[in-house]
Amino acid sequence: MSADSFPPHIQPGERVVLFDGVCKLCNGWARFLIRHDRERLFKLASVQSPEGQAILRWYGMPTDHFDTMAYVEGRDLFVRSDAVLRIARQLPWPWRLASVARVVPAFLRDWLYDRIALNRYRLFGRHEVCLLPDPDHERRFLHADH
């Protein structure tokens, strides 16, 4: 990775949340972000989309089995609880308060995160295919022609 390069489809200053598009919990998280990210700080991309797959490959992450949400801010990649907390601290009040969980050691936060992530389909269900965004939410998703 060269010093002046960015992941594919991501422009300098952009923030992209990658999520599992067939996971009902993950889709709920994406809808939550659409509803509460009033400043439109974040773009969304499912890990199954061509854009999501290209970003995962760029970071050397698996493209066929993905057990964590990822958050890309410029060139930086955050995963697991660090991704969730980094996003939370950029949301408006009261959601920003969730970022105080950073005082919990990362190994404990990630242990809890992993328990939920590894059981997300059993606990929350899954869609047979990735859900397409509502037409009015379309602009919130990352696109190749970006």
Side-chain angles (χ1 to χ4, degrees):
M1 145 173 82
S2 73
D4 59 351
S5 68
F6 282 84
H9 313 294
I10 298 179
Q11 302 300 312
E14 281 191 324
R15 301 169 181 127
V16 177
V17 177
L18 296 170
F19 66 98
D20 182 347
V22 298
C23 168
K24 288 185 178 182
L25 174 65
C26 306
N27 271 275
W29 171 244
R31 286 191 304 276
F32 174 87
L33 289 176
I34 288 169
R35 186 170 47 254
H36 295 289
D37 176 23
R38 293 184 213 111
E39 293 181 38
R40 301 188 185 284
L41 297 174
F42 306 107
K43 292 276 190 178
L44 301 164
S46 78
V47 294
Q48 293 88 354
S49 70
E51 298 82 7
Q53 290 282 294
I55 294 166
L56 291 174
R57 274 192 301 279
W58 196 82
Y59 282 107
M61 298 192 72
T63 58
D64 58 343
H65 180 72
F66 202 71
D67 286 335
T68 185
M69 181 194 63
Y71 170 57
V72 179
E73 194 172 303
R75 292 182 191 97
D76 299 323
L77 174 69
F78 303 90
V79 295
R80 299 162 79 193
S81 66
D82 283 341
V84 173
L85 295 177
R86 186 138 182 126
I87 292 165
R89 85 171 184 206
Q90 297 176 71
L91 291 172
W93 294 100
W95 311 112
R96 186 174 295 172
L97 289 173
S99 67
V100 301
R102 287 199 60 83
V103 301
V104 175
F107 77 92
L108 288 175
R109 292 191 324 253
D110 287 342
W111 179 86
L112 178 60
Y113 183 97
D114 290 344
R115 302 292 69 74
I116 295 168
L118 293 172
N119 294 293
R120 68 191 185 277
Y121 296 141
R122 188 172 52 79
L123 294 171
F124 300 98
R126 67 181 286 148
H127 300 288
E128 292 304 312
V129 295
C130 289
L131 295 180
L132 296 175
D134 293 338
D136 60 323
H137 296 158
E138 181 77 24
R139 66 187 175 279
R140 302 297 297 272
F141 284 77
L142 196 62
H143 297 287
D145 60 350
H146 178 65

